[in-house]
Amino acid sequence: AQKVTQAQTEISVVEKEDVTLDCVYETRDTTYYLFWYKQPPSGELVFLIRRNSFDEQNEISGRYSWNFQKSTSSFNFTITASQVVDSAVYFCALSGVNTGNQFYFGTGTSLTVIP
Amino acid sequence: KAGVTQTPRYLIKTRGQQVTLSCSPISGHRSVSWYQQTPGQGLQFLFEYFSETQRNKGNFPGRFSGRQFSNSRSEMNVSTLELGDSALYLCASSLATLAGGTDTQYFGPGTRLTVL
């Protein structure tokens, strides 16, 4: 079975602070894919990153970085120098090679950046 | 390239009615998936269509159905609406191939359905 856990329900930080959003996953597939999406108040899920299970290289994109560790089944997301525009709900998602395009989402982490 | 579009954006229905939601995928995307988002259950997969065929289905009752047209546009239908069907319904499209597998899904703005 596929499962994603985002234990942090809500996080508040002051602008310019760094923040890390945790994501822990469970899967029996040896090949799987992990994603992060951002959902602003408008409701649309915005794709941020995709990571394949065979590629553990961490990635940085501007103020965003992702730390993928298969040993701990985690795919954490860090925002450096947070800004008010980062306020949103962030979802981690998982899909397996045997489940095709069926994504399993975590419950999301609501991030509020206080000016 | 235009993104995924969904119509209508908002909908109010009463119990027992039926509703049809529409989704137009990104040009060139042949896979369309539907998700239900509620505060209590979060984001749950409804079904996926590829080349007019349902390829994958989540754990929802038969009142939830869908279809896909030859131009990849998709519709989702909910019959005999219940109060618990109130939710944000999100459509996503991807470049997933005939062979299956996973590809990045790009989501539309959603249709917010309220059942009274």
Side-chain angles (χ1 to χ4, degrees):
Chain A
Q2 320 277 9
K3 184 180 179 182
V4 174
T5 300
Q6 294 180 257
Q8 304 153 307
T9 305
E10 294 181 3
I11 298 177
S12 291
V13 298
V14 176
E15 200 171 21
K16 298 184 182 177
E17 286 185 344
D18 299 347
V19 59
T20 296
L21 309 182
D22 298 333
C23 172
V24 174
Y25 62 91
E26 296 176 30
T27 180
R28 293 178 182 171
D29 291 346
T30 54
T31 300
Y32 52 90
Y33 307 87
L34 295 162
F35 302 81
W36 274 96
Y37 286 86
K38 173 182 180 180
Q39 187 175 43
S42 60
E44 180 173 346
L45 283 168
V46 178
F47 166 71
L48 295 176
I49 191 171
R50 162 186 168 150
R51 176 61 71 221
N52 305 330
S53 56
F54 43 85
D55 179 7
E56 285 193 72
Q57 187 174 7
N58 292 328
E59 183 159 337
I60 298 175
S61 176
R63 296 184 298 106
Y64 295 172
S65 62
W66 291 268
N67 183 2
F68 176 32
Q69 291 195 339
K70 287 179 75 170
S71 60
T72 56
S73 297
S74 66
F75 185 42
N76 296 336
F77 172 30
T78 298
I79 302 175
T80 302
S82 59
Q83 299 176 2
V84 173
V85 293
D86 296 326
S87 297
V89 181
Y90 291 86
F91 290 93
C92 181
L94 165 71
S95 72
V97 68
N98 296 317
T99 55
N101 258 359
Q102 179 172 352
F103 281 24
Y104 295 83
F105 284 87
T107 50
T109 297
S110 177
L111 173 66
T112 301
V113 181
I114 304 166
Chain B
K1 207 179 247 189
V4 178
T5 59
Q6 292 186 245
T7 56
R9 293 292 311 278
Y10 302 90
L11 207 48
I12 299 175
K13 293 286 187 179
T14 57
R15 278 181 299 174
Q17 287 187 310
Q18 76 166 19
V19 66
T20 299
L21 312 181
S22 181
C23 171
S24 292
I26 293 171
S27 177
H29 287 191
R30 295 167 65 186
S31 168
V32 174
S33 298
W34 289 88
Y35 291 81
Q36 181 196 65
Q37 185 178 24
T38 60
Q41 299 298 318
L43 277 155
Q44 293 187 289
F45 173 79
L46 281 156
F47 28 66
E48 180 203 8
Y49 285 86
F50 183 89
S51 290
E52 303 179 64
T53 301
Q54 187 180 88
R55 190 159 70 170
N56 209 350
K57 188 177 188 305
N59 188 25
F60 277 82
R63 300 186 297 107
F64 292 82
S65 63
R67 59 177 175 169
Q68 187 179 35
F69 302 94
S70 58
N71 61 359
S72 294
R73 190 177 69 85
S74 176
E75 288 182 347
M76 189 192 96
N77 184 275
V78 187
S79 62
T80 318
L81 284 166
E82 301 177 359
L83 294 179
D85 296 333
S86 294
L88 180 66
Y89 290 89
L90 292 160
C91 167
S93 74
S94 78
L95 278 169
T97 66
L98 183 62
T102 294
D103 206 337
T104 300
Q105 295 191 29
Y106 297 90
F107 286 80
T111 294
R112 186 163 296 281
L113 172 64
T114 301
V115 182
L116 302 176

